[in-house]
Amino acid sequence: MKNFLKHSTIICLIALTVAACESNKSSDTSGSNSPEAKTVANDTSATNSTETALTVTDKGCEPNQLTVASGQNSFVITNKSSQPLEWEILSGVKVVEERENIAPGFVQKVKINLEPGEYDMGCGLRSNPKGKLSVKPGQGDSQAKTTVDQGQLVGAIAEYKVYVTKETDQLVADNKTFTDAVSAGDLAKAQKLYAPTHAHWERAEPIAELFSDLDKTMDSRADDFAKKEADPQFTGYHRIEKALFQDKTTKGMKPFAEKLQKDGLELQKRIATLTIEPKNMVGGAAGLIEEVAATKISGEEDRYSHTDLWDFSANVDGSQKIVELLRPVIQKANPDLLTRVDTNFTKVNQKLAKYKTPDGGFATYDKVSEADKKDMKTAIAALSEDLSQLRGTLGVN
C-alpha cells in the first residue's frame, strides 16, 4: 500500500490535461537510459542524502543489484515498462518502503532512512525476479529532521493498532463465510459476500500490505503478473472475483478459497504482534486515497464485479480514521491543511452517499454517471494532494 511522495503520479494520471504532468517526466534521458546505478551527492538536502537512480522495465530492475550507505537515501525510479508499476524495498516479506502506481515514462523519488543489512527489491510485476539491495554502514548516518514530537503520536498509533486489529478480525470472520460459500458451490451467496468481505482488507490495507507475500497472494490483480489471468500466481480475492462475476461459476475455486482463508488467518496472526511505525500510519492516509485515484476511479480494481464503490468507500473510511486519530497533532502543526482535508473528505463522502443502496451497500460502478466520476476525480485529486503533505507536516519522512 502507499505514501505521500507518489501523489504527483496519481495527480498526473487523473489530470484533465497532459500539460499538467509534463514536469514530472524525466528530462535526463542519458541518465535514465543507463543500466548502471547512478549515485550522486545531494548537496542541497538538509539531510545530506544520496541519490541512486534505477530503471524498472517489464522484466525487472536495471541494475538488479545495488549497494548504498546506510542513513538517508533517495532512490530515483524511472518506469520504462508498458504499464503502471510499483517498486518496493523488502526485509524478508515485510515492506520497508514502496512507491506504487508509477506511470509508464514517469519518474518518482523515494526517500528513506536505511539501516545496514541485506534487502530485496520488488521490481514491477510480481512475477519478475527480485533485485538485491545491500546497505553498508555509513559514516555519520543522517536522520530525517522531525517537526513534531514523535511522543505525541504514540497514543494515535496505539488506537490505530486497535482499529486495524478489529478490521482484520472481521476480515477473518467474513472470509470464513465467504470462502465456505465458494467451496460449497453457492454462487449467489458468494457473489453477495464478496464486496463486504473485501472491504475489510481495503480499510486496513496500509498495514495489511506491509506483508508482501500475503499482499501478493490475497489482493493482487491480474495485471501484476506476466501471464495476466492465466498466470498460476494469480490468486486471492480478484481471482475468485473473476470466477464469480465474469465466469459465473465456483467450479475449480475451492483451492483458491481455502488458500485465501489460510492467508487471512496468517495475516491476523502477524498483525497481532506487529509494531506499527509512524510512517506506516501517517503515510497510509494518503496511500489509501491515492489507491482510489489509481484503480478505483478508473473501475479497474473490481473489473469483474464492478463493486469498486465498496472498495472506494472502505479506502476513504480507513484514511479518514487515520486523520481523525491524528487530528490534535495536525491541528497544532497545520490547521489550514486540516481544514482543507476535512472539506474534501466531505465532498467525497457526499458523492459516495448518492450511490448507497437501501441494504447498506453500493450501486455497481457502471451506474455512476460520467459527471459524477469527473467530480469524484477532482475531489480525490485535491484530497490526495493535501494528504500527501501529512508525513512532512508531522515529521515522519
Side-chain angles (χ1 to χ4, degrees):
M1 278 224 237
K2 309 180 168 103
N3 65 44
F4 82 107
L5 284 170
K6 66 186 178 185
H7 80 282
S8 58
T9 294
I10 301 299
I11 302 233
C12 290
L13 286 172
I14 60 178
L16 298 178
T17 64
V18 174
C21 298
E22 289 302 313
S23 62
N24 194 36
K25 289 190 177 181
S26 172
S27 59
D28 183 357
T29 54
S30 61
S32 61
N33 287 327
S34 172
E36 302 296 329
K38 179 181 178 183
T39 305
V40 295
N42 185 0
D43 295 332
T44 61
S45 172
T47 60
N48 194 32
S49 65
T50 61
E51 286 190 356
T52 301
L54 76 156
T55 298
V56 182
T57 70
D58 288 321
K59 300 296 184 181
C61 289
E62 296 180 1
N64 201 41
Q65 296 186 11
L66 294 173
T67 299
V68 299
S70 59
Q72 282 294 304
N73 279 272
S74 294
F75 296 89
V76 182
I77 315 300
T78 301
N79 181 1
K80 288 197 173 181
S81 75
S82 57
Q83 65 182 44
L85 58 77
E86 69 177 5
W87 179 81
E88 301 172 317
I89 299 175
L90 304 166
S91 177
V93 298
K94 186 178 179 182
V95 177
V96 176
E97 187 59 275
E98 67 179 343
R99 191 65 72 247
E100 292 186 313
N101 302 309
I102 308 175
F106 283 76
V107 177
Q108 282 283 286
K109 182 181 289 187
V110 182
K111 294 183 178 180
I112 181 174
N113 185 68
L114 286 169
E115 298 291 333
E118 299 298 320
Y119 301 86
D120 290 325
M121 295 186 294
C123 302
L125 294 177
R126 294 183 186 267
S127 50
N128 285 345
K130 287 183 169 60
K132 297 296 181 182
L133 174 63
S134 181
V135 181
K136 304 299 184 183
Q139 295 183 352
D141 290 353
S142 56
Q143 301 288 331
K145 292 184 177 180
T146 61
T147 56
V148 170
D149 179 2
Q150 300 299 286
Q152 297 180 40
L153 302 178
V154 172
I157 293 172
E159 287 297 317
Y160 186 55
K161 175 68 179 289
V162 172
Y163 173 78
V164 171
T165 299
K166 287 181 177 178
E167 286 297 327
T168 307
D169 291 346
Q170 194 61 54
L171 173 72
V172 169
D174 289 359
N175 250 0
K176 180 67 167 60
T177 308
F178 170 61
T179 57
D180 281 352
V182 173
S183 296
D186 192 335
L187 178 63
K189 184 176 181 180
Q191 287 176 329
K192 183 177 180 180
L193 293 174
Y194 168 74
T197 300
H198 189 234
H200 295 295
W201 170 278
E202 295 292 334
R203 292 188 188 96
E205 192 165 15
I207 307 305
E209 71 168 9
L210 290 177
F211 304 104
S212 62
D213 57 335
L214 296 178
D215 187 30
K216 176 181 177 180
T217 58
M218 294 181 72
D219 200 46
S220 289
R221 292 180 291 124
D223 294 342
D224 293 326
F225 304 100
K227 296 180 181 179
K228 309 297 183 183
E229 280 91 349
D231 201 301
Q233 296 182 75
F234 177 40
T235 62
Y237 287 112
H238 296 298
R239 177 64 185 90
I240 296 174
E241 178 202 1
K242 177 184 181 298
L244 297 179
F245 294 93
Q246 178 172 289
D247 304 333
K248 301 287 195 299
T249 184
T250 60
K251 186 177 180 180
M253 287 297 105
K254 185 175 181 178
F256 293 100
E258 291 175 343
K259 171 66 172 169
L260 181 61
Q261 175 63 6
K262 180 180 177 181
D263 287 344
L265 289 167
E266 177 64 20
L267 176 67
Q268 183 183 44
K269 178 181 176 181
R270 293 186 192 181
I271 285 180
T273 59
L274 177 70
T275 299
I276 296 177
E277 298 178 36
K279 68 175 184 178
N280 301 140
M281 177 185 178
V282 178
L288 285 167
I289 299 304
E290 287 158 2
E291 175 143 327
V292 171
T295 62
K296 272 67 170 185
I297 286 290
S298 64
E300 63 185 276
E301 175 79 4
D302 295 295
R303 65 190 66 174
Y304 314 111
S305 62
H306 305 297
T307 56
D308 303 85
L309 290 181
W310 282 84
D311 286 359
F312 188 140
S313 178
N315 286 155
V316 172
D317 288 346
S319 180
Q320 203 159 9
K321 181 65 175 182
I322 293 171
V323 170
E324 202 57 42
L325 292 173
L326 294 171
R327 180 169 296 278
V329 288
I330 303 173
Q331 177 67 38
K332 185 176 180 180
N334 192 336
D336 291 339
L337 174 63
L338 183 59
T339 298
R340 294 198 305 273
V341 167
D342 285 342
T343 298
N344 283 310
F345 267 128
T346 298
K347 291 179 180 178
V348 170
N349 283 319
Q350 286 174 343
K351 287 297 179 184
L352 283 170
K354 183 176 178 180
Y355 290 95
K356 284 195 70 80
T357 53
D359 62 358
F362 290 92
T364 53
Y365 200 59
D366 54 304
K367 301 295 193 299
V368 180
S369 70
E370 290 303 315
D372 282 340
K373 287 180 183 178
K374 183 177 179 180
D375 288 345
M376 287 179 181
K377 287 180 182 180
T378 302
I380 285 294
L383 184 56
S384 174
E385 185 169 12
D386 286 336
L387 289 173
S388 72
Q389 300 176 41
L390 280 185
R391 280 181 61 167
T393 297
L394 302 184
V396 290
N397 290 314

